[in-house]
Amino acid sequence: MNLNKYIMLIKTCELGSVTAAAKELGISQSAATQLINSLEKELGLQIIVRSRSGVRLTKEGSILLPLFKNVVEADNKISSAVQKLKSEKNIIRIAAFKSVAINWLPEIIRDFRKANPGIKIELIDCGYKDIDQSLMNEDVDFAFLPLPANPAYTGIPVYNDRLLAVLPPDYPQTGLINGRLPVKLFETEPVVSLSDSIDRDARTVFHNAGIVPNICYRVDDDYAQLAMIENGLGIGIVPELILHGTDKKLKISELDPPAFRTIGIAFPSYKNASTEALAFSEFAKNYISHY
């Protein structure tokens, strides 16, 4: 199929002249005439009638012209789709919860792009529930999330992050036992908690201890939680990674019994992951192993 013949015919009919169409397409009039003649010969039908006043479609041409337009339009759509797929091949889409997005990924992305300047990276900062949904919908190449992950996708552990008790700065030292805060105290002390959809870590601690926490406040942001605790509104459980770089005046202690979360990298399908995504995940794992 020679689409140039179709394009020439379409343009000729639009402008009503072979000469005008040839000029717009940047070819000679004789080359334009040859394209149309070749198409008519190929089909065994006369498509246009030439006269001094211009060109007009024959009955057969009127039937075929819309079909030629559909073919050219379909070819353009295919070309656009191919270009998009080629460009997306060099894009890595990553979902991560806030502490990873803030403390790890900026430096990892910067160093990875220095070594791989042709690769673009899109970072989606969201909560655990949205990360699960992004993986299930295959909207991302991979994600950072606490393990165990949904068995529908592959999770690879990369870091054990301590869960710590976060207390107001004037919290009495007598409340601690050997420098640790007993988890049982969360039953009686006022607790500042994250909303249920993003508080998986603390809920796991309470579940394992068999207690119902005395939750007085719920917030949707880790740093709002820290600000409320700093102002004496309660105590909370926070992953150690969240506390890096914070300027809040807080008292931090280990929990009794100790607790941690395992941060992992999860792929919608490890087998079908792109070369670029696998390379980035290996680069990230190496960075995190030295953290």
Side-chain angles (χ1 to χ4, degrees):
M1 181 190 303
N2 187 341
L3 289 181
N4 290 332
K5 298 176 184 179
Y6 296 171
I7 294 169
M8 188 67 239
L9 176 67
I10 293 167
K11 188 58 67 176
T12 297
C13 294
E14 285 178 358
L15 300 178
S17 162
V18 175
T19 303
K23 184 177 180 180
E24 181 151 327
L25 293 175
I27 62 175
S28 67
Q29 183 175 345
S30 62
T33 300
Q34 286 176 15
L35 284 171
I36 293 175
N37 290 343
S38 174
L39 178 59
E40 290 181 325
K41 184 178 180 181
E42 179 184 314
L43 298 173
L45 296 169
Q46 185 177 5
I47 302 171
I48 60 173
V49 176
R50 301 163 180 83
S51 67
R52 289 184 178 180
S53 60
V55 299
R56 64 178 176 81
L57 286 166
T58 63
K59 178 182 177 181
E60 294 82 359
S62 298
I63 295 171
L64 292 172
L65 183 64
L67 303 178
F68 295 150
K69 288 181 177 179
N70 288 343
V71 171
V72 172
E73 184 179 351
D75 184 72
N76 289 335
K77 287 180 178 178
I78 291 170
S79 296
S80 297
V82 168
Q83 285 301 116
K84 184 179 179 182
L85 290 169
K86 285 181 177 178
S87 65
E88 287 182 348
K89 190 177 179 183
N90 291 326
I91 297 176
I92 304 171
R93 294 179 177 85
I94 305 166
F97 50 92
K98 190 175 295 293
S99 53
V100 168
I102 290 174
N103 291 293
W104 287 348
L105 285 175
E107 188 173 342
I108 294 173
I109 291 171
R110 181 198 66 196
D111 292 348
F112 182 81
R113 292 208 63 213
K114 282 181 181 178
N116 304 272
I119 296 179
K120 297 179 181 179
I121 296 170
E122 292 182 3
L123 174 59
I124 303 166
D125 170 15
C126 52
Y128 295 165
K129 185 176 180 181
D130 291 331
I131 291 174
D132 285 336
Q133 197 63 50
S134 294
L135 286 165
M136 291 299 294
N137 294 341
E138 298 188 15
D139 294 330
V140 294
D141 293 287
F142 65 89
F144 289 85
L145 79 173
L147 300 179
N150 187 316
Y153 38 78
T154 306
I156 303 166
V158 295
Y159 187 76
N160 286 331
D161 190 22
R162 289 192 302 169
L163 299 177
L164 300 173
V166 181
L167 316 167
D170 59 353
Y171 190 85
Q173 193 67 24
T174 53
L176 306 180
I177 300 176
N178 296 323
R180 294 180 176 178
L181 186 79
V183 172
K184 288 285 289 182
L185 286 179
F186 284 86
E187 282 190 305
T188 53
E189 295 276 7
V191 175
V192 181
S193 170
L194 293 173
S195 59
D196 285 343
S197 64
I198 52 178
D199 197 32
R200 186 184 302 176
D201 304 317
R203 282 190 288 116
T204 299
V205 172
F206 300 141
H207 174 77
N208 290 342
I211 67 169
V212 177
N214 177 32
I215 297 175
C216 296
Y217 303 97
R218 292 187 189 274
V219 294
D220 290 326
D221 181 84
D222 300 284
Y223 297 100
Q225 180 188 24
L226 295 182
M228 294 184 75
I229 294 171
E230 180 185 29
N231 283 277
L233 295 174
I235 64 176
I237 293 178
V238 174
E240 187 172 15
L241 194 57
I242 278 288
L243 299 172
H244 284 275
T246 182
D247 58 356
K248 301 296 183 188
K249 296 175 182 177
L250 300 161
K251 183 174 286 186
I252 310 297
S253 81
E254 290 189 39
L255 293 167
D256 184 18
F260 65 90
R261 64 176 177 178
T262 300
I263 299 174
I265 293 176
F267 292 82
S269 169
Y270 190 83
K271 182 179 69 174
N272 296 327
S274 69
T275 303
E276 293 83 3
L278 291 173
F280 186 94
S281 68
E282 288 299 318
F283 190 92
K285 283 194 290 183
N286 182 62
Y287 171 92
I288 295 166
S289 68
H290 295 92
Y291 189 77

